[in-house]
């Protein structure tokens, strides 16, 4: 069984708006390495639609991008992508698959069981639901040196209790962001 790793950009005040992070070659290389370490991506419908509207064109070379950004896009294009949705079941982007939202625990557990190198989760709202189900094993955050002053924020709708995490590593990047790796305390 593979691990479910939740990974996201966030600011010092917990904002997870993708426009608030530093998007440079080093941060894209960080997320490319994370993606390389897993067998699949897992998103909610909203994140999938945001990603689908931009990254395929970058992968095809239709949108100008630095080498690290293009590398991310090409690898993302080839990676299996699983989407949790209750409102949509057609996901035409290459290697995309639907997971029904009505039995989230069973669907995501089956994905973990079938994915030995693990699954990389990249949706904040979906992470809240999966954390409530005790399905997240690791957290890999890129903490940016910014205070956004707005939301959305991480776990804004709350969790049933405090999550105890064990620090695996903390690595500063040249841009001032810090890559944080935590494992769920059991």
């Amino acid at each position: 069984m593979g691990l479910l790793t939740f990974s996201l950009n966030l600011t010092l005040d917990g904002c997870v708006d993708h426009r608030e992070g530093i998007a440079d070659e080093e941060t894209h290389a960080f997320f490319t390495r994370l993606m390389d370490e897993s067998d699949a991506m897992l998103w909610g419908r909203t994140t999938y639609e945001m990603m689908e509207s931009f990254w395929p064109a970058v992968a095809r070379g239709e949108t100008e991008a630095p080498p690290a950004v293009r590398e991310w896009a090409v690898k993302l294009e080839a990676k299996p992508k699983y989407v949790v949705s209750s409102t949509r079941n057609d996901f035409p982007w290459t290697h995309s698959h639907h997971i029904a939202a009505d039995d989230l625990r069973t669907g995501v557990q089956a994905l973990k069981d079938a994915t030995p190198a693990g699954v990389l989760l990249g949706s904040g709202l979906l992470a809240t639901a999966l954390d409530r189900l005790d399905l997240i094993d690791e957290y890999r955050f890129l903490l940016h040196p910014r205070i956004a002053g707005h939301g959305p924020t991480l776990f804004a709708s709350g969790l049933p209790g405090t999550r105890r995490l064990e620090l695996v590593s903390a690595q500063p990047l040249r841009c001032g962001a810090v890559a944080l790796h935590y494992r769920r305390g059991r």
Side-chain angles (χ1 to χ4, degrees), residues 47-67:
T47 300
Y48 171 87
E49 289 174 349
M50 178 184 64
M51 301 293 269
E52 176 189 41
S53 71
F54 182 73
W55 290 110
V58 176
R60 290 188 303 267
E62 296 168 4
T63 300
E64 181 122 1

Side-chain angles (χ1 to χ4, degrees), residues 86-153:
S86 61
T87 60
R88 180 177 169 186
N89 57 20
D90 63 315
F91 298 96
W93 186 10
T94 307
H95 307 295
S96 294
H97 312 277
H98 179 239
I99 293 178
D102 60 346
D103 192 1
L104 189 56
R105 179 185 301 278
T106 301
V108 172
Q109 187 61 57
L111 177 60
K112 287 175 65 171
D113 291 344
T115 314
V119 179
L120 190 60
L121 166 65
S123 292
L125 290 175
L126 180 56
T128 300
L130 294 175
D131 203 300
R132 288 180 180 153
L133 295 172
D134 199 30
L135 288 171
I136 297 176
D137 302 296
E138 293 188 333
Y139 302 80
R140 303 284 300 260
F141 296 128
L142 198 53
L143 183 62
H144 293 267
R146 297 184 172 173
I147 297 173
H150 64 84
T153 57

Side-chain angles (χ1 to χ4, degrees), residues 56 63 72 74 77 82 124 146 149 163-164 171:
T63 300
W72 155 263
V74 168
E77 187 74 16
Y82 292 84
R146 297 184 172 173
R163 298 295 184 240
R164 298 186 63 101
Q171 178 182 359

